[in-house]
Amino acid sequence: MRVCIVYDCLYPWTVGGAERWMRNLAEALARDGHDVTYLTRRQWPAGEEPRVDGVRVLAVSREEPLYGPDGNRTIGEPLRFGRGVLRHLVRHGRRYDVVHTASFPYFSLLAAALARPLGRYALVVDWHEVWSAAYWRDYLGGARGRAGRAVQRLCARVPQRAFSFSRLHAARLEAEGLRGEVTVLEGEYAESLERPEVTPAEPVVVFAGRMIPEKRAPAAARAMVRAADRVPGLRGELYGAGPEHGRVLEAIGGDERMRAPGFVAHEELEQRLRSALCLLAPSSREGYGLVVVEASARGVPAIVVAGEDNAATELVQDGVNGFVAASADPEELAEQVVRVWEAGPAMRERTADWFAANAQRLSMGASIERVLDAYRAGATTRR
């Protein structure tokens, strides 16, 4: 089958759960013998084009930042990427049986829908998130927020085969007026599905993620400081970078028990997470929460925060593979860290058991099988 994957980000040039899902999907399809093209924006220096096994990577828009000084997505980049996607699919759409695009940043989805009558391909769309009216208002303000919400609603109503990665966002997508059924893909984990071998915990709390306001990294830093005052020898490590990094350093102050080294090599992060007491992920907004699954797959409990935009809470069974905090107040988060410490090795064993019981459901392989079923159905309809 000839598949075109569309996303303006490509891992590891940009880092996140959606980026890893799209790249892993492309590579898995190529291994299975499908002809795969990945449309993205340029993210690499000239002469250093990416090599993705079995995948043809094409840049259809220029290199430029995704985020402005305020940490929000810019509007120019999505428009230029959407224009590049439209140009490519108008010219080459008939090469593909399926175009599989991320919903965000919206204009590429609209471009794929606009070119579809010429290309006659099946359109498959991944919805990692569906933003609420309140979140649009907070993110962009009144008039611009309403415009963004209108574009999102328009995208939801484009005829498509829709996938979501949480029950939360699947329900929102239906409420936005999706024409047809949305399928929830619960699996994005692409590593071993065996029960992890539990290792002793070091007294270290880990945060890992882009330091944007939604991730609440400064609150995590303050919580680590408070927890370290209560747990002997506890240290905090915050991995990632972004506009909130300065606030994280302010929250740490001169506390030598804390460090925020920015982004580090995957191997170092893997080592630190595997030996951590717990993962602290106080994000207010998650479309899935892959890092929670990655922690559980290593026997490491995770702390997340209840919230109307946070689908990561669907991946934590409170008291089993972590805790769901009632708020992101640093004292509340510190209390949850202390609870993990007091639970001791038994919680790590429970976390490993939880992962073993849910691994197949959370696996990328299970999701890819459902995606392939959608491809086949769409290609049959197309013919």
Side-chain angles (χ1 to χ4, degrees), residues 35-282:
D35 184 279
V36 183
T37 301
Y38 195 120
L39 302 186
T40 189
R41 81 185 198 287
R42 178 171 287 277
Q43 297 151 70
W44 48 86
E48 298 181 16
E49 279 65 27
R51 293 185 176 89
V52 180
D53 290 344
V55 178
R56 184 185 309 106
V57 178
L58 299 178
V60 296
S61 63
R62 72 191 192 194
E63 182 178 10
E64 60 182 305
L66 288 177
Y67 299 93
D70 59 358
N72 289 350
R73 273 273 201 156
T74 63
I75 187 64
E77 183 279 329
L79 286 169
R80 281 181 280 275
F81 179 62
R83 182 178 62 193
V85 170
L86 179 62
R87 185 186 304 119
H88 177 86
L89 292 178
V90 166
R91 294 175 179 173
H92 308 296
R94 292 210 175 200
R95 293 181 183 177
Y96 307 118
D97 300 304
V98 176
V99 171
H100 188 152
T101 180
S103 61
F104 194 81
Y106 303 128
F107 297 108
S108 46
L109 190 167
L110 294 175
L114 189 61
R116 180 167 45 181
L118 294 173
R120 300 178 63 192
Y121 42 74
L123 180 59
V124 176
V125 183
D126 287 339
W127 290 84
H128 269 87
E129 294 183 69
V130 180
W131 290 2
S132 66
Y135 187 80
W136 275 113
R137 184 171 58 252
D138 291 343
Y139 192 76
L140 290 179
R144 294 176 65 200
R146 287 191 294 272
R149 173 80 186 284
V151 172
Q152 175 182 268
R153 188 180 298 116
L154 177 62
C155 288
R157 296 178 182 185
V158 166
Q160 63 191 266
R161 181 67 169 85
F163 290 108
S164 181
F165 295 83
S166 67
R167 297 185 298 276
L168 168 66
H169 292 291
R172 285 187 177 178
L173 182 56
E174 291 175 340
E176 286 288 74
L178 176 73
R179 298 175 181 176
E181 182 182 356
V182 56
T183 299
V184 177
L185 300 177
E186 296 181 280
E188 290 192 27
Y189 187 71
E191 301 175 47
S192 172
L193 304 183
E194 298 296 320
R195 184 187 188 278
E197 180 180 347
V198 177
T199 58
E202 294 184 19
V204 175
V205 180
V206 167
F207 168 96
R210 179 170 165 77
M211 293 184 178
I212 56 178
E214 296 89 334
K215 299 293 184 181
R216 294 168 167 164
R222 288 189 288 270
M224 291 177 186
V225 171
R226 287 165 170 76
D229 291 338
R230 298 174 58 184
V231 177
L234 189 72
R235 305 188 305 278
E237 298 179 355
L238 299 102
Y239 296 100
E244 294 276 276
H245 192 250
R247 293 188 60 208
V248 169
L249 296 179
E250 289 177 7
I252 290 173
D255 196 323
E256 295 183 354
R257 300 170 298 182
M258 306 293 140
R259 57 189 292 257
F263 285 119
V264 297
H266 175 76
E267 293 76 16
E268 180 179 349
L269 181 58
E270 154 70 19
Q271 181 183 14
R272 301 310 297 153
L273 180 59
R274 184 177 294 276
S275 60
L277 172 70
C278 65
L279 171 75
L280 181 54

Side-chain angles (χ1 to χ4, degrees), residues 253-335:
D255 196 323
E256 295 183 354
R257 300 170 298 182
M258 306 293 140
R259 57 189 292 257
F263 285 119
V264 297
H266 175 76
E267 293 76 16
E268 180 179 349
L269 181 58
E270 154 70 19
Q271 181 183 14
R272 301 310 297 153
L273 180 59
R274 184 177 294 276
S275 60
L277 172 70
C278 65
L279 171 75
L280 181 54
S283 178
S284 64
R285 195 192 97 232
E286 290 290 345
Y288 181 67
L290 180 59
V291 69
V292 174
V293 180
E294 292 174 328
S296 295
R298 289 149 180 80
V300 177
I303 297 169
V304 297
V305 177
E308 64 176 13
D309 294 315
N310 189 11
T313 57
E314 296 179 16
L315 299 170
V316 173
Q317 185 177 350
D318 195 61
V320 177
N321 67 320
F323 293 108
V324 180
S327 76
D329 178 80
E331 289 292 346
E332 165 71 10
L333 295 176
E335 178 62 30

